Amino acid sequence: MPQSTTMQPILETKNLTKIYNLGQANEFEALHSINFTARAGEFLCVMGPSGSGKTTFINNISTIDLPTKGRVYIDGVEIHTMSANEIGRFRSRTLGFVFQEFNLLNTHTIYENIAMPLALGKTGKRETKERVEKMVEQMGIQEVLNKYPGECSGGQRQRGAICRALIMNPKIIIADEPTGNLDRRSAGEFLELVGRLNREQEVTVIMVTHDPLIASYSSRLVYIKDGIIEQTMEKGQMSQKEYFWKITEINASQSDAVFAQDL
């Protein structure tokens, strides 16, 4: 699906600041007054060197953590105005999370892991069964529903994690290095699946990665360095190959700059 600058914002930050150990001698400002907008239906990748603030940024825009200063708006709602319980309910309805470690419960079957958000939302057993079966059919893991995560391949566990993330029909997928534990083939399958959801269902995707090839599947790149957004780039009319090489150039130039500062 072509991305357009006319798309409505689905996530915004205003002067987003995160300070660890506030008021202590070892106080550290990890994010510095970031203003950021993600458009509905966008596939956005976040890159940056280790320690740049990528994961802190993702955590603070997705309700996993709360900023020290500034505001975060998701689907028009300001997160700061909600209680912890309200944030939990809002998160389950609006956001789907996919992590590098999958975060599946090893004591539960793949079916039980996928169905868990529905169970917490008190969805009936029949509807839960129907929704889980439809989701796993789309992801092609019907054969592992009754297996435990330890009995499945990395790709199957990742698909299970994706099903769990999508079972509540979220508007936004938040993915933090989701392909880090996958081989190249499984990573490619994951990207095709997420790309299809983005194109066909207009699910917004915000994904952290260190890999320019992974980032080349996105429609926009956000490069974070030293707690600020250093650079952004739209794919626009570029081919994926052209976009990949542009991302590689940005990544290399920024890495060289970091190296030069350390000399």
Side-chain angles (χ1 to χ4, degrees):
M1 179 183 64
Q3 306 296 333
S4 168
T5 55
T6 62
M7 289 181 179
Q8 294 299 311
I10 195 167
L11 191 152
E12 293 182 274
T13 72
K14 294 184 178 180
N15 301 316
L16 173 63
T17 301
K18 183 64 181 180
I19 303 173
Y20 292 107
N21 306 316
L22 184 64
Q24 300 179 30
N26 59 341
E27 179 177 300
F28 173 67
E29 188 168 318
L31 300 175
H32 312 298
S33 194
I34 292 178
N35 294 304
F36 165 82
T37 300
R39 302 183 293 268
E42 189 170 21
F43 189 158
L44 188 149
C45 270
V46 179
M47 297 187 77
S50 297
S52 61
K54 300 186 300 295
T55 295
T56 300
F57 176 68
I58 283 289
N59 288 347
N60 278 264
I61 67 172
S62 64
T63 74
I64 292 176
D65 199 358
L66 292 176
T68 309
K69 302 176 185 177
R71 295 289 181 262
V72 177
Y73 302 85
I74 303 176
D75 202 22
V77 177
E78 184 184 350
I79 301 305
H80 256 120
T81 64
M82 295 190 285
S83 67
N85 288 337
E86 288 171 334
I87 287 176
R89 289 193 295 270
F90 179 82
R91 182 188 297 142
S92 68
R93 293 194 308 267
T94 309
L95 304 170
F97 296 89
V98 184
F99 300 101
Q100 181 175 345
E101 300 297 333
F102 311 139
N103 289 354
L104 297 173
L105 297 177
N106 290 322
T107 55
H108 291 64
T109 65
I110 295 295
Y111 178 93
E112 291 167 341
N113 270 281
I114 296 169
M116 195 167 296
L118 295 172
L120 293 173
K122 299 182 180 180
T123 303
K125 290 185 178 180
R126 178 179 294 180
E127 182 181 348
T128 294
K129 184 174 184 292
E130 291 175 352
R131 289 174 66 172
V132 171
E133 288 178 349
K134 180 179 180 180
M135 184 65 66
V136 299
E137 183 179 355
Q138 290 178 335
M139 297 294 156
I141 55 168
Q142 302 96 313
E143 74 280 5
V144 301
L145 268 186
N146 295 317
K147 291 185 178 182
Y148 291 89
E151 300 173 311
C152 301
S153 68
Q156 289 169 334
R157 293 198 300 274
Q158 185 64 293
R159 287 170 183 258
I162 295 169
C163 288
R164 183 186 59 189
L166 299 179
I167 198 69
M168 298 293 285
N169 298 316
K171 294 182 178 181
I172 306 173
I173 297 174
I174 303 291
D176 192 357
E177 295 283 8
T179 61
N181 285 333
L182 300 179
D183 58 37
R184 185 61 73 179
R185 178 179 176 182
S186 296
E189 290 175 348
F190 167 77
L191 289 165
E192 289 295 336
L193 288 168
V194 172
R196 191 175 73 232
L197 290 166
N198 172 252
R199 293 189 303 272
E200 296 177 2
Q201 299 183 28
E202 299 186 3
V203 176
T204 302
V205 180
I206 303 176
M207 181 167 65
V208 171
T209 185
H210 67 279
D211 188 335
L213 181 59
I214 303 300
S216 71
Y217 282 79
S218 70
S219 59
R220 181 160 62 111
L221 173 75
V222 173
Y223 196 94
I224 292 181
K225 178 182 170 185
D226 298 330
I228 64 171
I229 294 178
E230 179 80 8
Q231 191 169 354
T232 64
M233 180 174 64
E234 300 270 359
K235 181 181 180 183
Q237 299 302 312
M238 283 187 281
S239 67
Q240 185 176 358
K241 184 175 181 179
E242 291 170 329
Y243 188 42
F244 164 75
W245 285 115
K246 289 287 187 181
I247 293 170
T248 301
E249 289 172 6
I250 291 172
N251 207 36
S253 64
Q254 293 290 352
S255 297
D256 288 345
V258 170
F259 177 74
Q261 289 175 357
D262 292 338
L263 290 179

